[in-house]
Amino acid sequence: MCKFSVIVPIYNVEDYIEDCVNSVLMQSYDNFELILVNDASPDSSLAIIQEKFQNHPNVQIIDKQENEGVALARSTGLSYAIGEYVIYLDGDDLLVQNALEVLDRKITATEAEVVIFPKIRERKGEKFVASYFEEDELFVTDKTRLYEGFLRYGYFAIGYSAIRRDLALKYDMARELSSIWLGEDLIQSLPILTFAKSVLYITEGLYIMTYNPDSVTRIKNLKMDRYLQASATHNYIADFMKKWNIDSLNEVFQEHVMRDAIVYACDGIWSTNSLSDGTEYLKTIGTDVRFLQAYENGYPKKKSSKLLAFLLKNQLWKLSYIAIKIKGWRVK
């Protein structure tokens, strides 16, 4: 058994996949396997990995004949994995060169079942790490701050972590989430965070996010069910919050819902120039029960978002559309 199984779902990443794979193969730590799962990608991704990495002793290539989405691609890779811990890496992203070495050291020191690390982003040509906690923190019995960070910051145990393989297998929700195309990372993280006996958050950035304009999260066309996908994640979170039974998190959840409503409203409208499509889309937000509850509880707190929330709550769809366009609202 090796220590780490790095699983890479592959779909339309021909411009990125070679760098992604090399970021793993050039690690300063060598006790790992790399599982590449081609999710019936229509581009040249499969040809690239077959030509360049087919014979590498650490690499296993799985060629799926049907595209089923990232969650099921990861699940397929997980079923082949033999590592003690699994790490999911998107095909257009990278690991820093000492990522596995750092993770091995942290796991050895703490025996954590899950190690979460912040992502590294790039802005104006410079890389930066946005860590939620100021220092490493191990959560064993009291996970209140961990859950609060999850709701406020939106880090994913599935996307940016090393997870014990037996834990990942036990709580694999991929088949259940086959209809979810946005937010499945967040949903799959819930049982991992909830049922892991120990979760370590480290402040060192190990995962580099590259900018891929073709990523599903950066689609330029308006999908009418975009906010409904977010609403589905809210339902899953609410179910797990019953298990957590921590009253202080209720307000954090309300803030989370309202933030999603404002972000998805702005992103959706900036994805279309059609007033009719835009107003129909905004209805999915303004009539959402959880959005309305959050509004009645005093959210959003930010003055810059209050006007838009007011317009949505009062079903002033056209004014909401025009306000977003005229004011140039964009939520980062």
Side-chain angles (χ1 to χ4, degrees), residues 229-280:
Q229 294 279 311
S231 181
T233 69
H234 300 158
N235 293 334
Y236 277 97
I237 292 172
D239 287 342
F240 273 88
M241 286 183 63
K242 294 176 184 176
K243 297 179 175 66
W244 300 345
N245 194 27
I246 304 172
D247 291 341
S248 62
L249 294 178
N250 290 330
E251 289 189 9
V252 185
F253 179 52
Q254 299 286 324
E255 183 180 352
H256 174 97
V257 170
M258 181 57 72
R259 183 175 63 248
D260 278 357
I262 298 300
V263 168
Y264 280 84
C266 293
D267 285 353
I269 297 310
W270 280 105
S271 298
T272 182
N273 288 316
S274 168
L275 176 61
S276 59
D277 286 349
T279 53
E280 285 300 312

Side-chain angles (χ1 to χ4, degrees), residues 180 224-233 235 264 281 284-285 288:
I180 303 293
M224 300 303 289
D225 63 341
R226 190 175 177 87
Y227 181 75
L228 297 180
Q229 294 279 311
S231 181
T233 69
N235 293 334
Y264 280 84
Y281 169 73
T284 66
I285 301 174
D288 176 56

Side-chain angles (χ1 to χ4, degrees), residues 146-301:
L146 178 70
Y147 297 146
E148 181 179 345
F150 175 79
L151 292 173
R152 289 192 189 281
Y153 185 61
Y155 54 72
F156 306 128
I158 287 290
Y160 314 110
S161 65
I163 308 166
R164 278 193 61 91
R165 179 168 55 90
D166 54 358
L167 186 70
L169 282 167
K170 184 174 182 179
Y171 297 109
D172 181 11
M173 300 172 63
R175 187 62 60 181
E176 179 182 342
L177 302 178
S178 59
S179 64
I180 303 293
W181 56 269
L182 191 63
E184 71 278 2
D185 282 356
L186 186 147
I187 297 172
Q188 284 195 279
S189 298
L190 287 165
I192 300 296
L193 294 176
T194 302
F195 299 115
K197 294 178 181 178
S198 56
V199 178
L200 175 67
Y201 184 97
I202 66 174
T203 59
E204 189 166 353
L206 304 179
Y207 187 116
I208 302 173
M209 288 190 69
T210 60
Y211 179 78
N212 179 0
D214 297 320
S215 168
V216 68
T217 59
R218 298 189 179 99
I219 53 175
K220 300 301 181 183
N221 59 307
L222 177 63
K223 289 197 172 185
M224 300 303 289
D225 63 341
R226 190 175 177 87
Y227 181 75
L228 297 180
Q229 294 279 311
S231 181
T233 69
H234 300 158
N235 293 334
Y236 277 97
I237 292 172
D239 287 342
F240 273 88
M241 286 183 63
K242 294 176 184 176
K243 297 179 175 66
W244 300 345
N245 194 27
I246 304 172
D247 291 341
S248 62
L249 294 178
N250 290 330
E251 289 189 9
V252 185
F253 179 52
Q254 299 286 324
E255 183 180 352
H256 174 97
V257 170
M258 181 57 72
R259 183 175 63 248
D260 278 357
I262 298 300
V263 168
Y264 280 84
C266 293
D267 285 353
I269 297 310
W270 280 105
S271 298
T272 182
N273 288 316
S274 168
L275 176 61
S276 59
D277 286 349
T279 53
E280 285 300 312
Y281 169 73
L282 291 174
K283 288 180 184 179
T284 66
I285 301 174
T287 58
D288 176 56
V289 172
R290 295 194 190 280
F291 161 75
L292 294 172
Q293 289 174 341
Y295 186 87
E296 292 302 321
N297 284 314
Y299 294 95
K301 300 296 186 183

Side-chain angles (χ1 to χ4, degrees), residues 1-5 29 31 33 81-86 104 107 111-113 162-168:
M1 177 187 294
C2 58
K3 188 62 174 282
F4 298 106
S5 294
Y29 179 93
N31 189 15
E33 64 172 350
I82 61 172
E84 185 180 355
Y85 286 78
V86 296
D104 179 64
I107 290 168
E111 297 184 349
E113 290 192 335
I163 308 166
R164 278 193 61 91
R165 179 168 55 90
D166 54 358
L167 186 70

Side-chain angles (χ1 to χ4, degrees), residues 134-160:
E134 293 183 358
E135 57 185 13
D136 292 5
E137 190 160 347
L138 180 65
F139 300 90
V140 180
T141 54
D142 184 359
K143 295 180 181 176
T144 302
R145 277 167 47 82
L146 178 70
Y147 297 146
E148 181 179 345
F150 175 79
L151 292 173
R152 289 192 189 281
Y153 185 61
Y155 54 72
F156 306 128
I158 287 290
Y160 314 110

Side-chain angles (χ1 to χ4, degrees), residues 88-90 93-94 117-120 159-160 205-209:
Y88 300 110
L89 174 65
D90 285 350
D93 293 334
L94 311 167
F117 39 84
K119 51 187 173 284
I120 301 172
Y160 314 110
L206 304 179
Y207 187 116
I208 302 173
M209 288 190 69

